[in-house]
Amino acid sequence: MPELPEVEVVRRGLADHLVGRGVTSVEVLHPRAARRHVAGEADLIGQITGADVESAQRRGKYLWLPLARGGAPADAAIVVHLGMSGQMLVDGGAVSGRSPGDDRHLRIRAGLSDGAVLRFVDQRTFGGWAVDPLEEVAGTLVPASVAHIARDPLDPLFDRDAVVARMKRKDTEVKRVLLDQTVVSGIGNIYADEALWRSGVHGRRRASALTKPALGRLIDDATDVMRQALDQGGTSFDSLYVNVNGQSGYFSRSLDAYGRDGEPCRRCGTIMRRESFMNRSSHFCPTCQKAPLRS
């Protein structure tokens, strides 16, 4: 699933091509794409049509488009759930791209006031759109469904020391804490493995057993690796993750841990391993990242 760098790449593209444009029409072409909007498909269409896209916002892995009407400040937003295969593609107008008719997996199509078309394409249908009211949380307007999500390391208001203190109080595996979006958002399985490898910490170590400086370095490593991934357009393992122009990211070529089981560690040469963790896979170096003793 997309993590912070991939979602930020999409957000930047949407900010470039949608902000200030009006939505002139909306078609929902698959019912699952509107299932998160409790009031139903017709209400979703009604709330979006005729609104202007005020901005493109993100917190962690969550993406939303605040909607304004009649010059009033935005009080609601389209919350975009990318799921495992969701794509937000802009065609026509100032952006060239594939024809909307080319896609068998088109789920939502929105016409824009400049003649462009915003397409939500989702092969596996785990994603979708919903319109949520905006509410103020700690001085920031966020959709109601995102209010419980913690700030991410690229947020200007991210409080590193407070996050480290909260992690230190967690008597559970440190990788589980990294993946907890209510503690620190944006980090998923890929970048958790990368950060843990960089810090030389095994993901099954208890967060409470690590020192605050060690936890701080881990957060710093997660921040650095996500910035580097962002610079390369994110991580694409298949054709399903693309930016708004349909282009893939290239950070998969720079990964040091994730997906490298059976290959030599880039630091010490030991063969990398993979193990099951939280219905996912963890990738680590058994030499650089010593596993905790099991009881």
Side-chain angles (χ1 to χ4, degrees):
M1 295 183 69
E3 302 180 29
L4 185 157
E6 293 76 50
V7 177
E8 176 61 12
V9 168
V10 174
R11 187 205 66 79
R12 291 180 181 183
L14 295 175
D16 288 343
H17 301 308
L18 293 187
V19 173
R21 291 163 173 78
V23 181
T24 57
S25 64
V26 179
E27 299 173 83
V28 176
L29 304 173
H30 194 292
R32 283 181 58 81
R35 71 189 183 281
R36 289 183 173 85
H37 189 77
V38 177
E41 180 180 312
D43 185 77
L44 175 71
I45 293 171
Q47 291 207 45
I48 299 172
T49 305
D52 297 325
V53 179
E54 185 181 78
S55 61
Q57 303 290 331
R58 178 195 57 75
R59 175 168 290 185
K61 298 183 276 187
Y62 293 81
L63 174 69
W64 66 92
L65 303 171
L67 300 174
R69 289 180 182 272
D75 60 3
I78 304 172
V79 180
V80 180
H81 298 269
L82 295 174
M84 294 181 68
S85 59
Q87 302 171 353
M88 294 283 280
L89 304 173
V90 182
D91 293 326
V95 183
S96 61
R98 295 172 293 180
S99 164
D102 291 345
D103 244 309
R104 293 173 298 162
H105 305 299
L106 180 61
R107 308 306 183 195
I108 300 177
R109 177 168 49 220
L112 304 176
S113 56
D114 65 349
V117 176
L118 171 63
R119 298 183 297 128
F120 178 68
V121 175
D122 187 13
Q123 179 175 327
R124 295 172 182 166
T125 66
F126 291 129
W129 291 7
V131 173
D132 264 7
L134 293 171
E135 58 182 55
E136 186 171 331
V137 178
T140 303
L141 285 176
V142 297
S145 60
V146 182
H148 66 292
I149 300 299
R151 294 187 186 273
D152 63 69
L154 302 192
D155 189 317
L157 298 179
F158 180 73
D159 190 336
R160 174 186 180 274
D161 292 342
V163 170
V164 167
R166 189 172 182 188
M167 293 176 70
K168 178 67 176 173
R169 294 193 292 270
K170 298 285 186 178
D171 187 28
T172 189
E173 299 99 328
V174 68
K175 182 173 179 179
R176 186 182 297 270
V177 178
L178 287 176
L179 297 176
D180 185 344
Q181 303 299 295
T182 67
V183 176
V184 55
S185 66
I187 305 172
N189 204 43
I190 294 175
Y191 299 114
D193 279 1
E194 293 299 301
L196 289 162
W197 181 86
R198 290 186 179 203
S199 288
V201 174
H202 195 285
R204 291 194 182 274
R205 292 279 304 276
R206 313 295 285 189
S208 57
L210 295 170
T211 65
K212 285 186 176 180
L215 291 169
R217 288 192 296 272
L218 183 56
I219 289 295
D220 292 343
D221 284 333
T223 305
D224 289 344
V225 72
M226 290 193 294
R227 288 190 187 278
Q228 291 166 15
L230 181 55
D231 288 343
Q232 296 184 42
T235 299
S236 296
F237 280 99
D238 56 33
S239 61
L240 297 182
Y241 162 67
V242 295
N243 66 17
V244 297
N245 297 317
Q247 300 166 330
S248 298
Y250 295 99
F251 193 68
S252 58
R253 303 173 184 177
S254 303
L255 294 172
D256 291 309
Y258 187 85
R260 295 197 66 247
D261 50 299
E263 299 180 31
C265 172
R266 300 193 200 278
R267 191 161 44 212
C268 73
T270 302
I271 297 301
M272 300 284 291
R273 292 183 185 172
R274 176 175 59 87
E275 67 178 14
S276 177
F277 183 80
M278 292 178 60
N279 296 318
R280 302 174 175 89
S281 291
S282 286
H283 304 81
F284 64 97
C285 171
T287 298
C288 297
Q289 300 165 265
K290 295 293 186 185
L293 295 176
R294 300 180 185 275
S295 57

